[in-house]
Amino acid sequence: MSSRRLRLVRLSALLKAAPHLAAPYEEAKRVVRAFRKPAFYEVATRCNLFCEGCYYFRDSFSPPVEETDPAAWERFFEAEGARGVTMAYFVGAEPALEQDRLFAASKHFPYGNIGTNGTIRIDPAIPYRIGVSVWGVDEEVDASLRGGRSFHKAIRNYAGDPRAIILYTLTRSNLGDARRLAEICRDNDLPLTFNMYSPTQSYLRKLQEGEGNDRTFFRISSADSNLRWDEDSLSEVRLLMPRLMDEFPETVVYSRAYNAWATQPGPLYDIDPETGIARDCHSRMIGQMRYFKTDMRPGAEKCGTSDAVCSECRMYSGGWSSKFEPRDEDVRDEAALTDWLEMITALGRIFLIERPAEQRLTVAA
């Protein structure tokens, strides 16, 4: 019997023994169904910030020839919708700079997730979840990590917007801002979740080669002072997150089980020793996953954030997508299954919002 089949047998036995978990499990299946056929779409190659260790502007970055015809984008997204894509991730440098493309996409995908730095408000008619990336509350921390002050603009732009969730990228240098951020999000009717900075190949190369600082994406880091995690800082995050969840239960959208997993020392994934690539990360461009560049052609990306170093990756996109299906440890006993269900509940709240009834598209069973 295959390992997957064994997990299903174990899952069935656990649900039979704990019938109170049946309803949460059915809801978990509904959440996961929305991600059944995902795709990543770069919709912008421009950005108005210079984030330290940027995920997008890697070494020798050369943007593709960009399609600028709105009608071509409309046809492209129509074809992707017909292909059955259920969840569209809109990425790139800064998607808010190309909102016509987001409008075109909104006609064809039932669910979408837009990653933005928050400095430009996305039109209220675009009905997708908006992950507003924040790196610091203190103006000096904010400016040093992002190359410009962006935090207060983001809060002003999205306060009370039901599409928005603040995505705080945790680093070793900004943990002290986390509680203050939770207060601000509470007071501005904004849910809050967390990402953990994960170094890119470009960033690690600059550290390892002792490259001097520049005026763009490597302004403040050095071999002795940088954004990489160590056991002490991981332990600090592991203790901090449950405290914030307890203190701000209506604001912080996270999971204790996920936090325990994401802050464990060492690699989170099964790393291929020859390639250095994670074999079990569900953000990989394998199976039904696709990644399209701004020329509308499939990119040869290894994952949704291709320059990230797999052995040090704690990025929320890869982490959460790797929880869609319970693993052996998730069906060990009732407590483990309860933890997995808690993670899927949080995942749904982070990535999904329901469209207005008049704009709702059907998700096939």
Side-chain angles (χ1 to χ4, degrees), residues 159-226:
D161 190 327
R163 302 170 301 167
I165 184 167
I166 299 299
L167 174 63
Y168 192 45
T169 296
L170 297 165
T171 71
R172 288 163 58 182
S173 62
N174 69 8
L175 295 180
D177 277 358
R179 189 187 181 281
R180 176 61 181 143
L181 175 59
E183 290 180 339
I184 293 170
C185 288
R186 177 197 62 198
D187 295 343
N188 286 274
D189 193 21
L190 282 165
L192 168 65
T193 194
F194 301 95
N195 181 38
M196 297 182 70
Y197 179 74
S198 301
T200 64
Q201 301 283 355
S202 304
Y203 184 73
L204 284 192
R205 182 194 62 75
K206 292 172 183 178
L207 291 178
Q208 291 164 356
E209 296 180 5
E211 188 167 310
N213 294 130
D214 54 36
R215 300 180 64 184
T216 54
F217 308 110
F218 194 69
R219 298 178 314 282
I220 61 174
S221 296
S222 67
D224 297 325
S225 177
N226 56 70

Side-chain angles (χ1 to χ4, degrees), residues 1 7 305:
M1 186 180 293
R7 281 196 299 274
T305 313

Side-chain angles (χ1 to χ4, degrees), residues 118-140:
T119 58
I120 301 166
R121 189 162 189 245
I122 292 173
D123 192 292
I126 296 172
Y128 290 142
R129 186 52 132 177
I130 301 173
V132 182
S133 175
V134 167
W135 286 50
V137 176
D138 177 84
E139 289 190 351
E140 184 177 341

Side-chain angles (χ1 to χ4, degrees), residues 211-270:
E211 188 167 310
N213 294 130
D214 54 36
R215 300 180 64 184
T216 54
F217 308 110
F218 194 69
R219 298 178 314 282
I220 61 174
S221 296
S222 67
D224 297 325
S225 177
N226 56 70
L227 307 182
R228 297 176 75 183
W229 297 100
D230 56 23
E231 289 198 22
D232 288 341
S233 53
L234 288 172
S235 179
E236 190 174 351
V237 177
R238 191 177 310 118
L239 295 173
L240 175 62
M241 293 298 103
R243 292 202 299 265
L244 292 179
M245 292 177 68
D246 287 340
E247 191 171 355
F248 301 92
E250 302 302 317
T251 298
V252 173
V253 183
Y254 211 51
S255 157
R256 286 170 171 77
Y258 181 86
N259 178 60
W261 174 80
T263 57
Q264 62 185 298
L268 300 182
Y269 303 101
D270 175 22

